[in-house]
Amino acid sequence: MQKPFFLASRIELFPRTLHLDCMVWASACVFGLSLAAILPTLLSAQQTSPEDIFHHAAQAHPEYALGFAYALGQDAPTVMIAGPTTKGVSGSVANDAPWHIGSISKSFTSTLVMRLVDRGEVTLDAPIGTYLARDKDSMHPDWRTVGLRQLLSHSAGMPANAPRHVTRETFAHAPYAGRRAVLSAMWGDPLPGKSGEFHYSNIGYVLAGFVAEEVTGASWEELIMSEIAAPLGLTSLGFGAPTQSDAARGHQSVLGFRRSVQPESPASDNPRWLGPAGTIHLNMADLVRWGQMHLRACAGHMPEYLAQASCQAMQTPDSSNYGLGWVIGDAGEKGPIVWHNGSNTMWYVVLMLNPEQDLVVAVATNLHAPKRMDELARKLMFALAPGDR
């Protein structure tokens, strides 16, 4: 199979730096918001309606699609969509069309693992070699002694991504076979990072998903559907680039020019084995429902699905200001902000939760526009959470 020419440009976006006061990380599936920047924007932005903010943002860039959804409490999500499916065409994106959410998928993988924890099938701090009996003898001690907590909080010292030649060789593999091939090509070597320090790692999440597969005997994709999509009614959830005709097509930047990418093309996403780190798609309403579930579970209202202690562990900083699948910030009088963002460089999505306001906000677009979308998410959060309600 001919290797896609775009592969290097998509995978080269490695994590960069993380500081307690400012995130500037980047990877194939996630691009970090500046947590320090949230505070002044939330606290000083002019109060206006979310509808006005959304329409102004859509009119500023009408050639691309823009999605916005929010919910207060257990209200049904409000969804607003504008723009064409593809730059330069007339077809509009449907309100119920799915969007590629990139590294927001990490919160799904973490939730899957925590459900296994709740059932006693795994523990967060046991060495992963405990669960990988047939592979542990081929693993360097650095790898087999890390725990799931370290993997989910990016504190295991894992490499950010697979070596480029390994990614090329496994790009067309089926998801589970690809994960096994990639990990087995890497886990014989020492870990590059220092245990206990934050090193953003897609490979760490691929390994966490692989542990879940080995423990349960089902693929990560099957587990996401059976443990998350089905019980929560997230009917739009799927994997890879959305293929529906009324969904937004991702746009890739080539030599400064943006062009749409057909969803059936290998160019439309990273390799399928990267799933646990970031290949999920779903529509804006379901994305907000995902946030609502986490607010309810952390408040103790969904013990049959996710134990309150497990949910709260996910939203407690463990490595720097990263919990288990979520970033945790503080917006002063607006309360804590729990969030994640994601991109495969062709879509960009932000999901923000405000537990004190019982508010979930999500924004999405079909190109890599982190600065603009981060600012839009903050403006909308402020407009919807002006203080005590």
Side-chain angles (χ1 to χ4, degrees):
M1 175 182 176
Q2 183 179 3
K3 300 299 187 296
F5 76 94
F6 57 86
L7 180 62
S9 66
R10 194 165 63 242
I11 301 297
E12 275 176 355
L13 297 168
F14 292 155
R16 297 175 186 174
T17 59
L18 173 104
H19 304 287
L20 286 173
D21 59 339
C22 182
M23 279 191 167
V24 200
W25 80 56
S27 78
C29 295
V30 67
F31 299 83
L33 291 170
S34 167
L35 290 181
I38 289 178
L39 300 183
T41 308
L42 283 174
L43 300 177
S44 65
Q46 290 186 347
Q47 191 172 335
T48 186
S49 75
E51 291 81 8
D52 288 345
I53 295 171
F54 172 77
H55 290 305
H56 177 77
Q59 291 166 6
H61 299 274
E63 67 273 34
Y64 298 105
L66 182 66
F68 163 49
Y70 72 92
L72 287 163
Q74 292 308 300
D75 292 349
T78 296
V79 177
M80 303 178 199
I81 304 290
T85 58
T86 304
K87 181 182 178 182
V89 304
S90 58
S92 298
V93 177
N95 268 29
D96 61 353
W99 300 72
H100 193 292
I101 66 170
S103 272
I104 298 173
S105 304
K106 290 180 172 65
S107 65
F108 288 73
T109 298
S110 290
T111 302
L112 167 63
V113 170
M114 296 310 290
R115 281 175 58 80
L116 298 180
V117 170
D118 287 350
R119 296 202 293 261
E121 297 183 47
V122 298
T123 63
L124 287 177
D125 298 310
I128 62 166
T130 304
Y131 308 114
L132 304 178
R134 62 171 167 156
D135 297 304
K136 67 178 182 179
D137 289 342
S138 63
M139 301 170 73
H140 190 279
D142 286 359
W143 288 72
R144 66 172 176 260
T145 56
V146 302
L148 286 164
R149 187 190 305 275
Q150 292 173 290
L151 297 178
L152 299 178
S153 62
H154 301 293
S155 62
M158 287 279 153
N161 290 296
R164 196 174 302 174
H165 74 278
V166 173
T167 300
R168 285 196 300 267
E169 292 164 1
T170 60
F171 195 91
H173 283 30
Y176 171 79
R179 283 187 281 275
R180 171 167 285 284
V182 169
L183 292 169
S184 62
M186 299 176 68
W187 63 31
D189 296 326
L191 290 174
K194 184 178 179 181
S195 177
E197 294 183 356
F198 184 95
H199 298 280
Y200 193 86
S201 173
N202 290 315
I203 288 299
Y205 265 76
V206 171
L207 180 54
F210 182 74
V211 170
E213 291 176 316
E214 294 298 283
V215 167
T216 63
S219 72
W220 174 82
E221 289 78 10
E222 291 169 334
L223 291 168
I224 291 297
M225 298 306 291
S226 64
E227 296 281 345
I228 292 177
L232 297 179
L234 305 182
T235 57
S236 68
L237 192 152
F239 307 99
T243 59
Q244 291 85 330
S245 61
D246 56 6
R249 297 290 182 262
H251 287 75
Q252 184 182 46
S253 181
V254 179
L255 300 177
F257 297 93
R258 292 191 177 107
R259 60 170 192 155
S260 63
V261 180
Q262 292 302 311
E264 297 81 7
S265 165
S268 65
D269 201 7
N270 284 303
R272 291 184 295 163
W273 54 254
L274 199 64
T279 66
I280 288 175
H281 68 243
L282 74 173
N283 66 30
M284 297 301 290
D286 278 351
L287 183 57
V288 167
R289 292 186 186 102
W290 175 242
Q292 288 177 296
M293 184 283 290
H294 275 272
L295 290 181
R296 291 191 66 207
C298 282
H301 300 317
M302 296 187 68
E304 73 290 348
Y305 183 76
L306 185 64
Q308 184 177 21
S310 294
C311 184
Q312 291 178 347
M314 294 178 67
Q315 296 187 13
T316 300
D318 186 280
S319 173
S320 191
N321 53 355
Y322 200 96
L324 307 178
W326 293 107
V327 186
I328 298 90
D330 185 4
E333 67 182 27
K334 308 303 173 187
I337 301 295
V338 178
W339 61 274
H340 217 293
N341 53 3
S343 177
N344 67 354
T345 75
M346 288 169 277
W347 286 263
Y348 189 86
V349 183
V350 182
L351 176 62
M352 302 179 76
L353 285 58
N354 186 322
E356 288 192 7
Q357 299 287 322
D358 206 7
L359 169 65
V360 180
V361 170
V363 295
T365 192
N366 58 337
L367 73 158
H368 180 226
K371 184 176 180 180
R372 177 162 59 88
M373 297 303 289
D374 295 348
E375 180 65 19
L376 177 60
R378 294 191 289 266
K379 285 182 178 179
L380 290 165
M381 177 66 75
F382 181 87
L384 288 159
D388 293 335
R389 292 185 284 112

